[in-house]
Amino acid sequence: MNDALDVLGSPADAETLSRLHRNLERHAEQDGLLDVAYTVVDSPVGRLLLAATARGLVRVAYATEGHDGVLETIAQRLSPRILRAPKRLDTTARELDEYFAGRRRTFDLPLDLSLSHGFRQLVQRHLPEIGYGQTRSYREVAELVGNPNAVRAVGTACATNPLPVVVPCHRVLRADGTLGGYVGGAEAKAALLHLEAA
Amino acid sequence: MKTPFENVVAEHAGTVLRVCRVLLGPHDAEDAWSETFVSALRAFPDLPDTANVQAWLVTIAHRKAIDVLRARSRQPLPVERLPETPSDLGVPDVDHDLWQAVRDLPDKQRQAVAYHHVAGLPYAEIAKLIGGSADAARRAAADGIKNLRKTYLSGATS
């Protein structure tokens, strides 16, 4: 039997809800309420979470990091005003596409490094100085940032890079030429180096 | 611990839209939904961690709906007859009479039906929104449902 209550409680269709979501994204951006916008894109190294504040790209996360957990952390550390709002990430997504297609060697994006601090942030600021297709050892990066004894701290800074791929921590290897660790896993690190060597 | 607001939207978008539909009809429900979630996004960082998020959203929707109804009563003409747009709202045409019946309910009955039968709020919470006692809210919801069934079932085969 079709009861009045069933009709009143009938679920909204997905199309209506996604249209309302897009309106919400637009209003939130217009009213300055969208502290963090994010989207998820496909890439040769798996699904990548891209998140940006009004200042710039604040986080790139591999699927292996757990996107839900990454967003929870952003909510605690930056702001819970977070929406899936792909528009703010359009340029980032396009530049990543070009990079993975071998048509882009540097990223031209405003970055927001507010998820890292101190020495780690200093290292991350210097990483883009390692050019496309080149590699450095952890020790060489320690020297690059003017602290040659901080080899382990450089390793930590690379491992906690909030912007992998865009800030090229994958270009930092062990002194013996082996890969070393990587936030996206050894396979992703090898794939990026292989791409850049082509 | 604050969750990303996106999770709040994902979890409650449908319920809030159903509540807005009952309060305002399919036509104005989407505007009220949008205003509700923009306001909620604005206030979200200050919401206590222990708050009942759904009750909080319904409270905001309640206020937004009152604003819409006030604006309507100042401008009664354009909404006297709803445009025939139910199909994109997932509401079949045959239910048009039901929406008219919901619209004809006294305000408190319509609100009590929305907040209890659609949103699932306890009557004590509803009393805080619409005034009066929890018992009065319970009676308003029961009367509202009785009135709707009278209209709706008389027009449908049972």
Side-chain angles (χ1 to χ4, degrees), chain A residues 1-197:
Chain A
M1 184 180 105
N2 200 7
D3 186 77
L5 272 178
D6 295 336
V7 179
L8 298 183
S10 64
D13 63 286
E15 199 183 315
T16 300
L17 289 177
S18 63
R19 177 162 40 83
L20 287 170
H21 196 288
R22 285 194 299 276
N23 287 344
L24 177 61
E25 294 162 38
R26 207 178 55 243
H27 282 129
E29 184 78 83
Q30 280 167 359
D31 292 0
L33 298 175
L34 188 52
D35 292 344
V36 180
Y38 75 89
T39 191
V40 177
V41 298
D42 282 316
S43 86
V45 288
R47 308 266 286 161
L48 294 176
L49 171 78
L50 313 176
T53 64
R55 290 162 60 195
L57 187 65
V58 75
R59 190 72 165 87
V60 174
Y62 283 96
T64 50
E65 296 179 73
H67 290 169
D68 288 347
V70 168
L71 289 168
E72 296 280 348
T73 303
I74 294 174
Q76 313 309 326
R77 293 193 49 193
L78 297 182
S79 165
R81 284 185 187 138
I82 300 174
L83 282 178
R84 180 175 48 73
K87 196 166 182 300
R88 192 184 282 175
L89 286 312
D90 277 355
T91 306
T92 304
R94 182 172 47 76
E95 293 202 3
L96 281 169
D97 274 347
E98 292 165 356
Y99 169 79
F100 285 117
R103 289 185 282 113
R104 170 173 290 278
R105 299 166 73 91
T106 57
F107 292 97
D108 182 20
L109 298 166
L111 304 181
D112 180 343
L113 290 174
S114 55
L115 286 174
S116 62
H117 298 283
F119 185 72
R120 293 179 188 181
Q121 191 190 88
L122 177 75
V123 172
Q124 289 153 13
R125 282 183 189 283
H126 277 83
L127 287 176
E129 293 167 21
I130 312 171
Y132 186 92
Q134 300 176 24
T135 58
R136 293 286 183 277
S137 69
Y138 293 103
R139 178 168 303 283
E140 285 170 322
V141 174
E143 286 162 4
L144 181 74
V145 299
N147 200 341
N149 292 321
V151 179
R152 291 186 67 87
V154 166
T156 307
C158 289
T160 58
N161 173 15
L163 295 163
V165 185
V166 173
V167 169
C169 59
H170 58 276
R171 293 176 194 154
V172 187
L173 310 177
R174 290 208 187 109
D176 63 5
T178 57
L179 281 180
Y182 186 57
V183 61
E187 209 176 311
K189 188 170 190 174
L192 297 182
L193 293 172
H194 180 75
L195 167 78
E196 296 187 8

Side-chain angles (χ1 to χ4, degrees), chain B residues 60-125:
Chain B
I60 300 172
H62 170 75
R63 295 195 197 113
K64 296 297 175 191
I66 288 173
D67 291 347
V68 172
L69 291 171
R70 280 198 188 121
R72 239 190 221 174
S73 67
R74 284 194 297 270
Q75 260 187 321
L77 264 180
V79 289
E80 194 53 42
R81 188 71 193 169
L82 298 178
E84 298 291 331
T85 56
S87 61
D88 67 330
L89 296 160
V91 183
D93 272 332
V94 290
D95 296 324
H96 183 79
D97 289 349
L98 176 64
W99 292 110
Q100 192 57 50
V102 170
R103 210 176 145 83
D104 290 341
L105 288 179
D107 286 350
K108 286 200 176 180
Q109 289 185 18
R110 189 187 322 106
Q111 290 164 339
V113 167
Y115 304 148
H116 184 73
H117 291 286
V118 178
L121 292 194
Y123 291 115
E125 288 287 324

Side-chain angles (χ1 to χ4, degrees), chain B residues 12 51-62 119 121-122 125 129:
Chain B
H12 301 289
N52 175 335
V53 174
Q54 180 157 315
W56 173 65
L57 288 169
V58 169
T59 303
I60 300 172
H62 170 75
L121 292 194
E125 288 287 324
L129 286 179

